């Protein structure tokens, strides 16, 4: 990435193996995490090894800079940001070092993600029990730093309960390991460890009796149990220390055998007090977890998600999900029945159900999983804030806790939602506030202070799960009056230069919660350029919707998300990076001219418009559209490159050259000729020359086919129109068989290739040409049918970016993927051949649409045993992105997951709905690749 380097950091760059960035853009990308804060660092460092970490620490010590360890940046408290050097482990130090299934442990670097481990453990009978809601993308370094837990920690504990060993580096630059210290006799210990040993020995009784009587507490430092068998073990101290005592560079954790069975009791209550009493009654049964969702969250879920309306009863106050797990099916079923019986016997509810089957459990967990992300989609200025959401109280104080919280929020006239791990006495209480409003900014401290006093009076902890960070550090001294001096002393001993996250844990500023806000009362945003796209949702609001949760940095197949980020682990590729730099632009944090600088466009160009982040983002931030806008402004000023103009010109090339295209095919088989072309055009020589059919689809059929009363317009796209008209022929055959007359008017490219390259005006011209050719058909046809998933996305969604009017909305409503339409009428087809053997790859542009599984469902209707859904990453072509020489190697790497599955499959052919996915599959596999509609057409009677 192009960047600026200046002054002292050039000294660090010269000796650093990883990446050093001091440019304004990169610093703004790493200025936020999942919290409400923004602190712009002086430098961002991506270390490759322990030596790099030591170099950063020694450099920071030399120049008086702070060091801030960072993983995924998903934390809610502001612990991964700071003014000095952000040390980001997610890009390079993210490897699994070793896993031993027999001895049940694994070793990893701090940037390794929980989701990657879960994927590796599938079918192995083992699991890592702490399961935070951000686990799919959270790193183990971050999870250890905050001592994370999750829904099942009531039974299984926190991350630090599983630590076996860790390598770490102190601020003096010295490296140690937990096992090294543990195995060293007291008299031979180095400082500061000898002093820590003495502190614990001298103050053991005070230490052990100074913590609240709650099992789940990550506030302050955990000094308890540091000496075991007359030896010093610092695993519990480092766990939850939030990077303030040392920089951890390697971790070793234990694994547990995974119970084979679980059961779920779903209980609805009329008031929050009854649910609190229910928890107290059923907890002794040995629950693995109890989740609660209150009426405000449930109501929002019902209002914003049609799928949840029928699943959530009306008129309830809250719901408990009570889970048991065991190695015995009979035991889990028995425990569930006992729990339900207890609820009934104590007249706590009359509405409780047992879900034993996987299908039933999935149905109820869908509510829990879907409800919270909906909160991030709420429209309006007020947003849910992670402010007072992490306290834990003794279970017998739950009733008092609920009454107190509700009173505080009511007195401050704040709407809120409540959900969380009630079995732990831990509730996530999220008020809705507008941090651009000075009144609400002032409320931050007032509400937090009142909340702390409540928690303190109940013998609880202000931080039960997510850490202290910038939100709660100011309360640590009050919570631990007797041992706070020990915290400060141990901080000084291990971080003698006070450079490791110095504003966390032992930093006491009562107003810290109001400082360095991402959106404060002085925040301003302005429209700094005229938009080329239509923004009915407001461009500024769309940019500011990103709350920094980091879900868009998921690297497993659990989501598609950003394929470029998954395989580069570079922050510039993360969808949230686009929101961060655009927010910096509209707020004046960077100059207006930055939009036209190559470093800015480098970040924007890491978006390939696959649409996955928009679909899967909890807030549905339309990052692809924002990237198109920024890219289009650049193209408007400087023009499109020759490479991009050539890549998007398939339709023009087909119209001009198709009659002699096959003649060009022979010489273009010579890679040397393609290499010459690559030099002048930027189009990779590695890909095979694509010849057009001499006779297009439009020359093979009349403009009207069939005579049924129902009718469709077939939008073939460039691929089925000119490159593979066989797809169009198969589609028309099937459409006739299911009873439709087919209109095949003159048509042009859908415009999506142009739009993706920032050529907004050219894309708009294509839309207008299409409307001129077939606009009059729209009212007379039942559907507009597409076989290309990208064309479908264009007509259904992206045409609205350029022309948002009644006719465009009507086209959007009528556009349907052919497999969706076929599935509606499948019983009308006469299948004469069903011995299909197909491996199916779902394109990104289909996955982000409604009924995304229509094609695999259609194929399974022919023969369910004849179809394998590859369920892979993006294919790596990313539209036309993979055609560029500069992107070729990464394109192949991204596609490797899918291609490996395709090649390993016992199925004979591959199938996909996307032209460029098909090109990638044909390029990297020896199997025949066809469109799903071609498969179906071959199975039908003539």
């Amino acid at each position: 990435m192009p960047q600026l380097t200046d002054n002292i950091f050039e000294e660090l760059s010269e000796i650093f193996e990883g990446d050093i960035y001091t440019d304004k853009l990169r610093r703004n990308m790493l200025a936020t995490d999942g919290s409400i804060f923004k602190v712009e660092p002086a430098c961002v460092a991506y270390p490759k090894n322990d030596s790099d970490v030591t170099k950063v620490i020694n450099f920071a010590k030399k120049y008086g800079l702070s060091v801030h360890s960072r993983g995924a940046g998903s934390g809610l408290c502001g612990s991964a940001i700071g003014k000095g050097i952000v040390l980001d482990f997610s890009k390079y130090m993210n490897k699994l070092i070793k896993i031993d299934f027999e001895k049940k442990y694994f070793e990893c670097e701090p940037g390794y993600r929980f989701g990657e481990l879960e994927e590796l453990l599938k079918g192995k009978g083992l699991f890592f029990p702490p399961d935070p809601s951000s686990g799919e993308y959270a790193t183990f370094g971050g999870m250890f730093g905050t001592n994370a837990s999750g829904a099942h920690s009531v039974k299984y504990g926190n991350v630090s309960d599983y630590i076996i060993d860790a390598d770490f580096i102190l601020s003096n630059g010295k490296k140690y390991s937990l096992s090294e210290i543990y195995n060293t006799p007291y008299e031979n210990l180095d400082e500061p460890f000898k002093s820590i040993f003495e502190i614990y020995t001298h103050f053991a009784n005070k230490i052990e009796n100074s913590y609240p009587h709650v099992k789940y507490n990550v506030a302050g430092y955990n000094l308890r149990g540091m000496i075991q068998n007359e030896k010093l073990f610092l695993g519990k101290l480092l766990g939850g220390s939030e990077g303030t005592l040392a920089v951890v560079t390697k971790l070793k954790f234990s694994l547990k055998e995974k119970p084979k069975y679980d059961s779920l009791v779903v209980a609805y209550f009329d008031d929050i007090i009854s649910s609190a009493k229910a928890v107290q009654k059923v907890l002794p049964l040995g629950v693995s977890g109890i989740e609660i969702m209150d009426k405000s969250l449930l109501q929002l879920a019902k209002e914003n998600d049609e799928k949840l309306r029928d699943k959530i009863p009306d008129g309830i106050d809250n719901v408990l999900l009570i889970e048991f797990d065991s190695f015995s099916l009979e035991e889990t079923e028995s425990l569930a029945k006992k729990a339900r019986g207890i609820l009934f016997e104590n007249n706590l509810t009359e509405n409780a159900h047992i879900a034993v089957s996987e299908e039933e459990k999935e149905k109820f967990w869908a509510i829990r999983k879907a409800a919270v992300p909906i909160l991030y989609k709420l429209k309006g200025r007020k947003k849910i804030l992670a402010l007072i959401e992490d306290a834990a109280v003794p279970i017998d104080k739950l009733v008092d806790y609920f009454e107190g919280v509700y009173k505080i929020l009511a007195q401050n006239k704040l709407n809120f939602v409540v959900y969380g791990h009630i079995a732990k006495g831990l509730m996530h209480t999220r008020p809705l506030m507008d941090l651009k409003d000075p009144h609400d900014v002032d409320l931050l401290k007032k509400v937090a202070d009142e909340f702390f006093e409540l928690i303190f009076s109940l013998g609880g902890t202000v931080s039960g799960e997510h850490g202290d960070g910038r939100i709660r550090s100011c309360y640590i001294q009050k919570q631990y009056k007797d041992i706070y001096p020990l915290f400060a002393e141990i901080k000084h001993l291990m971080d003698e230069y006070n450079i490791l996250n110095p504003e966390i844990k032992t930093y006491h500023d009562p107003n810290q919660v109001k400082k360095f806000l991402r959106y404060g009362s002085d925040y301003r945003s302005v429209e700094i350029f005229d938009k080329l796209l239509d923004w009915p949702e407001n461009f500024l609001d769309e940019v500011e919707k990103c709350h920094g949760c980091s879900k868009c940095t998921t690297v497993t197949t659990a989501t598609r998300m950003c394929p470029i980020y998954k395989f580069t682990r570079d922050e510039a590729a993360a969808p949230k990076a686009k929101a961060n730099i655009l927010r910096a632009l509209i707020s004046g944090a960077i100059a207006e001219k930055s939009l036209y600088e190559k470093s800015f466009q480098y970040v924007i160009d890491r978006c390939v418009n696959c649409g996955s982040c928009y679909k899967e983002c909890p807030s549905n931030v339309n990052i692809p559209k924002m990237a198109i806008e920024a890219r289009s402004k650049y193209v408007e000023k400087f023009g499109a490159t020759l490479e991009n103009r050539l890549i998007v010109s398939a339709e023009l090339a087909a119209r001009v050259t198709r009659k002699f295209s096959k003649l060009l095919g022979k010489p273009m088989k010579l890679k040397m000729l393609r290499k010459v072309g690559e030099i002048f055009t930027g189009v990779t020589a590695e890909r095979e020359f694509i010849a057009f059919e001499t006779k297009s689809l439009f020359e093979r059929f009349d403009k009207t086919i069939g005579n049924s009363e129902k009718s469709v317009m077939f939008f073939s796209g460039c691929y089925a129109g000119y490159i593979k008209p066989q797809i169009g022929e198969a589609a028309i055959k099937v459409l006739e068989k299911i009873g439709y007359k087919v209109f095949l008017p003159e048509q042009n490219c859908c415009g999506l290739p142009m739009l993706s390259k920032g050529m907004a005006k050219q894309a708009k011209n294509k839309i207008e040409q299409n409307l001129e050719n077939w606009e009059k058909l729209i009212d007379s046809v039942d559907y507009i049918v597409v076989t290309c998933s990208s064309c479908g996305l264009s007509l259904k969604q992206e045409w609205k970016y350029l022309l948002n009017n009644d006719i465009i909305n009507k086209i959007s409503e009528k556009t349907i993927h052919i497999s969706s339409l076929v599935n509606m009428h499948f019983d009308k087809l006469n299948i004469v051949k069903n011995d299909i053997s197909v491996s199916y790859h779902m394109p990104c542009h289909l996955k982000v649409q409604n009924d995304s599984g229509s094609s695999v469902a259609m194929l399974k209707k022919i023969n369910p045993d004849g179809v394998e859904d590859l369920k892979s990453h993006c294919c790596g072509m990313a539209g036309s992105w993979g055609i560029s020489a500069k992107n070729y190697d990464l394109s192949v790497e991204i596609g490797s997951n899918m291609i490996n599955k395709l090649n390993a499959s016992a199925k004979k052919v591959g199938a996909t709905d996307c032209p460029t996915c098909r090109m990638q599959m044909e390029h990297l596999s020896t199997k025949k690749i066809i469109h799903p509609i071609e498969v179906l057409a071959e199975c039908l009677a003539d």
Side-chain angles (χ1 to χ4, degrees):
M1 170 178 171
Q3 60 151 330
L4 303 174
T5 58
D6 51 23
N7 51 59
I8 61 173
F9 294 105
E10 291 181 358
E11 176 185 327
L12 181 59
S13 297
E14 290 175 0
I15 60 172
F16 200 74
E17 291 183 47
D19 302 336
I20 296 290
Y21 293 96
T22 58
D23 60 283
K24 193 80 171 173
L25 281 186
R26 184 69 66 154
R27 285 155 51 201
N28 268 274
M29 280 186 254
L30 277 295
T32 57
D33 54 8
S35 72
I36 60 177
F37 302 105
K38 177 186 177 183
V39 183
E40 187 178 321
C43 170
V44 177
Y46 296 97
K48 284 191 172 181
N49 47 47
D50 287 13
S51 176
D52 272 353
V53 174
T54 302
K55 289 168 186 173
V56 164
I57 290 173
N58 289 336
F59 178 85
K61 181 173 59 179
K62 177 179 178 181
Y63 289 102
L65 295 166
S66 54
V67 176
H68 311 273
S69 298
R70 182 182 176 104
S74 59
L76 299 174
C77 307
S79 303
I81 53 179
K83 299 176 184 176
I85 302 174
V86 168
L87 198 57
D88 192 326
F89 292 98
S90 63
K91 186 174 184 180
Y92 295 122
M93 294 184 70
N94 56 29
K95 309 296 188 300
L96 175 68
I97 298 169
K98 181 181 181 181
I99 186 164
D100 192 314
F101 295 108
E102 291 185 5
K103 295 182 180 179
K104 301 173 189 172
Y105 74 84
F106 70 98
E107 296 177 7
C108 68
E109 293 176 318
Y112 185 61
R113 300 190 186 230
F114 178 76
E116 295 178 277
L117 178 70
E118 277 198 310
E119 201 168 72
L120 186 65
L121 292 178
K122 285 179 181 176
K124 299 293 192 301
L126 298 174
F127 77 130
F128 187 74
D131 56 346
S133 59
S134 60
E136 187 60 50
Y137 43 95
T139 66
F140 279 99
M143 289 170 62
F144 183 61
T146 57
N147 196 18
S149 54
H152 299 100
S153 54
V154 64
K155 180 175 181 177
Y156 293 106
N158 291 28
V159 169
S160 67
D161 294 317
Y162 297 86
I163 190 70
I164 298 173
D165 202 358
D167 291 353
F168 58 92
I169 302 172
L170 301 181
S171 67
N172 61 15
K174 294 182 180 180
K175 178 181 174 182
Y176 297 92
S177 71
L178 295 177
S179 57
E180 173 190 353
I181 295 167
Y182 182 75
N183 291 319
T184 301
Y186 159 74
E187 58 273 14
N188 295 330
L189 282 171
D190 288 350
E191 288 294 352
F193 309 114
K194 182 176 284 188
S195 293
I196 292 173
F197 192 105
E198 292 168 354
I199 287 172
Y200 183 82
T201 303
H202 187 74
F203 295 103
N205 187 59
K206 179 183 285 190
I207 287 171
E208 296 296 336
N209 290 287
S210 292
Y211 289 82
H213 296 295
V214 292
K215 192 174 180 182
Y216 301 96
N217 176 19
V218 297
Y221 293 129
N222 187 1
L223 307 184
R224 293 168 291 183
M226 287 195 295
I227 296 181
Q228 304 170 9
N229 303 318
E230 298 302 314
K231 297 179 179 181
L232 187 64
F233 184 72
L234 300 178
K236 295 291 183 74
L237 173 63
L238 285 183
S241 62
E242 299 180 64
T244 61
L245 301 179
V247 178
V248 176
T249 60
K250 187 170 80 170
L251 297 147
K252 182 179 181 180
F253 291 106
S254 62
L255 298 167
K256 288 184 74 71
E257 287 189 46
K258 186 174 185 178
K260 295 180 179 180
Y261 306 99
D262 57 65
S263 60
L264 184 69
V265 178
V266 182
Y268 299 99
F269 297 87
D270 295 330
D271 59 82
I272 204 80
I273 306 304
S274 295
S275 57
K277 292 178 179 178
V279 172
Q280 295 165 355
K281 295 289 185 181
V282 302
L283 203 55
L285 294 178
V287 300
S288 60
I290 306 179
E291 293 288 291
I292 187 172
M293 294 174 285
D294 84 332
K295 60 185 175 183
S296 52
L297 190 150
L298 294 171
Q299 187 59 38
L300 288 170
K302 291 182 70 170
E303 290 173 358
N304 289 274
D305 192 330
E306 294 180 3
K307 296 178 182 177
L308 299 181
R309 287 173 193 165
D310 296 333
K311 295 180 181 178
I312 303 174
D314 292 324
I316 62 167
D317 184 85
N318 65 86
V319 60
L320 290 184
L321 302 180
I322 306 168
E323 190 173 47
F324 299 92
D325 65 8
S326 170
F327 291 93
S328 164
L329 177 61
E330 292 76 14
E331 183 179 3
T332 59
E333 292 178 344
S334 173
L335 288 170
K337 290 175 182 176
K338 284 182 182 178
R340 186 177 63 171
I342 289 171
L343 299 181
F344 291 160
E345 290 163 12
N346 289 275
N347 297 316
L348 296 171
T349 181
E350 297 178 354
N351 193 351
H353 311 277
I354 296 177
V356 178
S357 72
E358 291 302 316
E359 185 177 351
E360 287 179 297
K361 285 181 283 190
E362 187 174 335
K363 172 186 173 183
F364 287 113
W365 277 117
I367 301 173
R368 173 68 174 91
K369 291 177 180 178
V372 176
I374 283 171
L375 298 174
Y376 289 113
K377 299 182 177 77
L378 293 178
K379 295 181 179 179
R381 292 177 63 92
K382 292 186 180 292
K383 306 296 181 184
I384 59 165
L385 296 188
L387 173 66
I388 56 171
E389 46 71 67
D390 201 30
V393 299
I395 297 300
D396 61 358
K397 299 292 186 180
L398 276 174
V399 173
D400 297 328
Y401 171 72
F402 281 124
E403 290 176 340
V405 170
Y406 280 44
K407 181 179 178 181
I408 289 171
L409 295 170
Q411 287 176 340
N412 287 285
K413 299 179 181 179
L414 289 172
N415 292 323
F416 61 95
V417 296
V418 172
Y419 63 95
H421 318 310
I422 191 171
K424 297 160 55 177
L426 195 156
M427 301 305 306
H428 298 314
T429 306
R430 298 279 190 103
L432 274 73
M433 303 177 75
D434 175 14
L435 292 190
K436 296 178 184 176
D437 184 340
H439 173 266
D440 281 9
V441 171
D442 289 338
L443 273 184
L444 284 174
K445 176 171 166 50
K446 181 176 184 295
V447 171
D449 285 347
E450 291 173 3
F451 184 73
F452 171 78
E453 292 301 330
L454 169 67
I455 298 306
F456 188 69
S457 71
L458 297 176
T461 175
V462 73
S463 182
E465 185 174 58
H466 294 154
D468 296 310
R470 296 170 178 276
I471 290 181
R472 289 180 275 271
S473 287
C474 66
Y475 299 110
I476 293 176
Q477 186 173 16
K478 290 182 180 179
Q479 181 163 321
Y480 299 105
K481 292 179 182 177
D482 292 339
I483 59 172
Y484 183 80
L486 301 183
F487 289 176
E489 188 172 352
I490 284 178
K491 165 68 172 174
H492 175 69
L493 286 169
M494 293 191 72
D495 178 20
E496 60 183 296
Y497 296 96
N498 196 33
I499 61 173
L500 302 180
N501 233 5
E503 295 184 340
I504 311 297
K505 294 288 187 185
T506 53
Y507 179 79
H508 186 73
D509 179 353
N511 292 303
Q512 189 175 25
V513 71
K514 296 169 59 176
K515 296 180 178 179
F516 297 105
L517 294 174
R518 187 186 310 191
Y519 303 110
S521 54
D522 58 346
Y523 174 87
R524 298 291 183 273
S525 60
V526 294
E527 299 275 5
I528 62 172
F529 55 81
D530 294 331
K531 310 299 177 295
L532 294 173
L533 308 185
D534 186 70
W535 290 92
E537 63 272 51
N538 189 300
F539 178 74
L540 300 183
D541 290 344
E542 192 67 26
V543 171
E544 294 171 355
K545 271 167 65 175
C546 174
H547 60 278
C549 71
S550 290
K551 184 179 179 180
C552 60
T553 64
T554 300
V555 297
T556 67
T557 55
T559 64
R560 280 285 173 94
M561 277 305 180
C562 177
I564 311 302
Y565 180 83
K566 283 187 180 186
F567 289 86
T568 64
R569 309 287 180 102
D570 182 12
E571 188 74 18
K576 63 178 180 174
K578 286 73 174 169
N580 280 336
I581 64 171
L582 283 167
R583 187 175 62 250
L585 192 70
I586 64 176
S587 65
I590 58 176
E592 292 183 23
K593 65 179 182 180
S594 301
L595 175 67
Y596 301 105
E597 294 174 353
K598 289 183 178 180
S599 57
F600 192 101
Q601 289 298 322
Y602 175 90
V603 180
I604 295 299
D605 284 343
R606 298 313 93 188
C607 174
V608 294
N609 197 33
C610 70
S612 296
C613 63
Y614 178 36
K615 177 73 172 181
E616 297 174 326
C617 169
S619 298
N620 282 145
V621 185
N622 199 338
I623 297 292
K625 186 178 180 182
M626 286 157 38
I628 290 170
E629 180 70 71
R631 191 179 296 127
S632 296
K633 291 302 295 183
Y634 186 86
V635 171
E636 181 186 45
K637 184 170 184 176
F638 297 107
T641 63
L642 172 62
E643 176 187 344
N644 285 347
R645 291 201 302 271
L646 289 172
I647 286 174
V648 304
S649 299
E651 180 207 349
L652 176 61
R655 290 178 183 271
V656 174
T657 71
R658 70 179 186 279
K659 297 300 182 183
F660 53 87
S661 177
K662 290 190 181 294
L663 297 175
L664 293 173
K666 289 184 179 180
M668 289 305 291
K669 285 183 179 179
L670 297 173
K671 190 173 181 179
M672 182 177 64
L673 281 181
R674 300 202 303 272
K675 200 68 181 175
V676 172
E678 178 183 310
I679 294 170
F680 290 101
T681 67
V683 175
T684 180
E686 298 298 324
R687 300 206 180 271
E688 298 78 8
F689 175 74
I690 300 171
F692 301 106
E693 289 287 332
T694 304
K695 197 174 182 181
S696 73
L697 179 69
F698 312 105
E699 294 169 302
R700 301 180 186 204
F701 289 93
D702 294 330
K703 291 187 176 181
T704 304
I705 305 107
N707 54 11
S708 300
E709 290 185 10
K710 293 188 295 182
S711 64
V712 298
M713 192 200 92
F714 178 44
F715 187 86
S716 68
C718 303
Y719 195 74
Y722 297 102
I723 299 173
K724 296 289 183 185
Q726 300 89 340
I727 297 174
E729 290 177 336
I732 290 169
K733 175 182 177 180
V734 173
L735 289 169
E736 282 194 279
K737 294 287 187 183
I738 61 174
Y740 285 94
K741 177 166 63 176
V742 181
F743 291 103
L744 188 65
E746 184 178 344
Q747 51 194 260
N748 296 84
C749 175
C750 69
L752 186 140
M754 296 86 169
L755 195 59
S756 296
K757 300 297 183 186
M759 300 164 67
K761 292 181 179 178
Q762 293 89 329
K764 187 174 182 180
N765 288 338
K766 289 297 178 184
I767 298 172
E768 291 172 339
Q769 288 171 15
N770 278 312
L771 293 179
E772 185 178 340
N773 290 331
W774 45 265
E775 181 178 350
K776 294 178 182 178
L777 270 176
I778 303 304
D779 287 326
S780 62
V781 299
D782 296 287
Y783 298 101
I784 301 169
V785 176
V786 295
T787 50
C788 170
S789 49
S790 297
C791 290
L793 182 68
S794 189
L795 271 63
K796 289 177 74 68
Q797 175 178 294
E798 303 205 350
W799 280 19
K800 293 180 183 180
Y801 295 174
L802 295 166
L803 291 170
N804 197 354
N805 53 38
D806 290 342
I807 188 63
I808 296 297
N809 288 328
K810 193 174 293 184
I811 289 170
S812 175
E813 291 169 4
K814 288 197 172 188
T815 298
I816 188 170
H817 195 71
I818 191 165
S819 51
S820 291
L821 184 59
V822 170
N823 287 336
M824 296 179 195
H825 304 284
F826 198 85
D827 58 344
K828 296 179 182 178
L829 297 173
N830 181 17
I831 304 294
V832 296
K833 176 176 173 277
N834 70 349
D835 59 339
I836 62 172
S837 181
V838 181
S839 297
Y840 174 75
H841 168 66
M842 184 185 294
C844 295
H845 281 171
L846 186 59
K847 190 174 179 68
V848 299
Q849 297 180 46
N850 293 331
D851 199 18
S852 59
S854 59
S855 287
V856 73
M858 181 186 75
L859 292 171
K860 288 185 176 181
K861 285 176 183 288
I862 302 170
N863 180 359
D865 295 327
V867 183
E868 178 184 352
D869 186 350
L870 295 175
K871 295 182 180 178
S872 66
H873 290 294
C874 166
C875 79
M877 196 79 163
S880 57
W881 176 85
I883 294 175
S884 296
K886 64 180 181 290
N887 301 326
Y888 175 77
D889 290 340
L890 181 56
S891 170
V892 171
E893 184 183 354
I894 293 170
S896 61
N897 174 264
M898 184 269 290
I899 293 299
N900 290 339
K901 288 183 175 182
L902 173 64
N903 290 337
S905 172
K907 304 303 180 186
K908 294 179 181 178
V909 300
T912 188
D913 310 81
C914 172
T916 51
C917 288
R918 179 169 177 163
M919 292 176 193
Q920 181 82 310
M921 294 165 80
E922 289 173 336
H923 179 60
L924 299 174
S925 175
T926 57
K927 290 186 178 180
K928 180 181 179 182
I929 311 298
I930 55 180
H931 192 286
I933 204 66
E934 293 181 277
V935 178
L936 178 60
E938 290 178 6
C939 297
L940 299 179
D942 291 332

